[in-house]
Amino acid sequence: MKNDLHKTFGEIFDGDIAALRKQLLEIQHIQADRQKAEEWVANLRFLDISKVPDLQAEKKKQDRRFALAEARNPLYDRRVPLREIPVTEREDDDGETEYIAVSWKWSELKHEVLYDDPELPIFDYRIKRPGAKSHKSSFPDPYMDRVIRFAQSINVSRLWIDKECIYQRPGDERVWPDDKERGVQIMDVVYGDSNFSVGLLTVELAHQHEVDLLSKLLQGHLFVDPENKDTPELRSEVDVMAVQMLILRILSDPRWSRGWIFQEDHLASSGMILLVPCSESIRKGRAYDFGDIIGELQIQLKDLRQ
């Protein structure tokens, strides 16, 4: 199969909308037998983060440790400790396990930081499958930090991340030949049955005025009549250009460039929560509930769509 992960739909089809439409029409006639996939999804694997310490507290400890070490030696080599995360056995899933399904754009992207050097993750994560040696995941450590902080904030200890919960590492096809195919076929159930789904954005909102404006926008406070969904009208004093630039900034995130993401957003329905990084100095206020995680904004995707 041709690897087109780095391309947009427009690049794949050379800007030819007719070619895209033709392929969509052809695809609708192709049906797969989902019986085995439905058996597969009845017992999922999860990442068990129940033994990971509180990352908000660990972050404060890390900052103090680095500050003290660098005061003694400016050339201090900042390293983070290893942390092993086990993968559960499929037999452990009783069908009622609470879990978070994670939606992210594959390929390791640099976290966009506007003014400061990027911070190190809290841990160097390793994934431990049952009966196997631990390995380094292609799911980036900073992403793992963010998802675990969110999970800890809502007291959920199981994560479903496609890269690790569907066995698809080199050589896996010999032992689990159908794992990837069955997992791909049944994504609707994986996301539909999740208690929460999170979509990871990487574009950071660094300014207080951006977050304040986003809060007002999400609540409908910028409109003459917030209840009028058919012909919404902005208030006369609203800076339209600022609103447009804010929306464009969020939509410029690389996450939106892949077709899989829109499927995952649709499958998760109203349960999809976007995690948007922000400056740690941001005051979130009480208008829109952005959550309590420092350096992170939680946005209900349905509110952003609205």
Side-chain angles (χ1 to χ4, degrees), residues 247-265:
I247 294 173
L248 285 173
R249 176 154 179 75
I250 294 172
L251 295 182
S252 72
D253 193 280
R255 180 179 184 268
W256 309 113
S257 67
R258 295 301 300 161
W260 278 109
I261 294 299
F262 290 93
Q263 173 177 276
E264 291 163 3
D265 286 349

Side-chain angles (χ1 to χ4, degrees), residues 106-295:
W106 282 20
S107 77
E108 191 165 343
L109 299 169
K110 292 183 178 179
H111 175 70
E112 181 184 351
V113 178
L114 300 181
Y115 301 106
D116 300 315
D117 291 331
E119 295 186 355
L120 288 174
I122 299 171
F123 289 112
D124 179 359
Y125 295 99
R126 296 291 190 274
I127 307 300
K128 179 71 167 62
R129 293 180 178 181
K133 294 181 179 180
S134 60
H135 64 267
K136 186 65 181 172
S137 177
S138 58
F139 187 71
D141 288 340
Y143 288 12
M144 189 71 79
D145 276 351
R146 297 174 65 194
V147 175
I148 292 177
R149 281 200 300 264
F150 172 77
Q152 291 176 337
S153 74
I154 58 173
N155 297 316
V156 174
S157 62
R158 297 291 188 271
L159 305 178
W160 190 90
I161 299 175
D162 50 10
K163 274 286 190 178
E164 296 302 338
C165 298
I166 299 175
Y167 283 178
Q168 50 190 303
R169 288 174 59 79
D172 282 349
E173 67 278 359
R174 294 196 298 271
V175 185
W176 295 277
D178 302 320
D179 216 58
K180 184 175 181 179
E181 180 181 352
R182 292 174 185 174
V184 169
Q185 286 181 357
I186 206 77
M187 284 297 95
D188 54 324
V189 177
V190 172
Y191 280 90
D193 284 359
S194 65
N195 300 84
F196 300 90
S197 297
V198 296
L200 294 176
L201 273 66
T202 54
V203 167
E204 183 178 36
L205 298 184
H207 300 292
Q208 186 66 51
H209 68 83
E210 292 177 312
V211 177
D212 292 342
L213 183 61
L214 179 60
S215 176
K216 293 176 182 177
L217 177 64
L218 293 172
Q219 295 177 93
H221 290 177
L222 301 182
F223 299 94
V224 174
D225 179 6
E227 300 303 319
N228 183 354
K229 310 302 183 185
D230 296 325
T231 55
E233 181 184 353
L234 289 172
R235 294 178 180 273
S236 58
E237 68 273 16
V238 172
D239 184 342
V240 178
M241 182 65 73
V243 175
Q244 291 175 330
M245 294 306 295
L246 175 63
I247 294 173
L248 285 173
R249 176 154 179 75
I250 294 172
L251 295 182
S252 72
D253 193 280
R255 180 179 184 268
W256 309 113
S257 67
R258 295 301 300 161
W260 278 109
I261 294 299
F262 290 93
Q263 173 177 276
E264 291 163 3
D265 286 349
H266 173 72
L267 296 174
S269 187
S270 59
M272 179 62 76
I273 298 172
L274 299 179
L275 297 185
V276 181
C278 68
S279 170
E280 292 188 2
S281 62
I282 291 293
R283 302 181 306 279
K284 297 180 183 179
R286 298 181 180 178
Y288 185 86
D289 185 7
F290 285 122
D292 299 323
I293 303 173
I294 298 172

Side-chain angles (χ1 to χ4, degrees), residues 59-78:
K59 177 66 166 60
K60 294 178 181 177
K61 292 179 185 177
Q62 183 189 69
D63 290 344
R64 287 196 297 268
R65 186 171 68 250
F66 286 166
L68 288 173
E70 289 174 0
R72 300 190 190 100
N73 178 12
L75 300 179
Y76 170 69
D77 183 12
R78 298 193 302 173

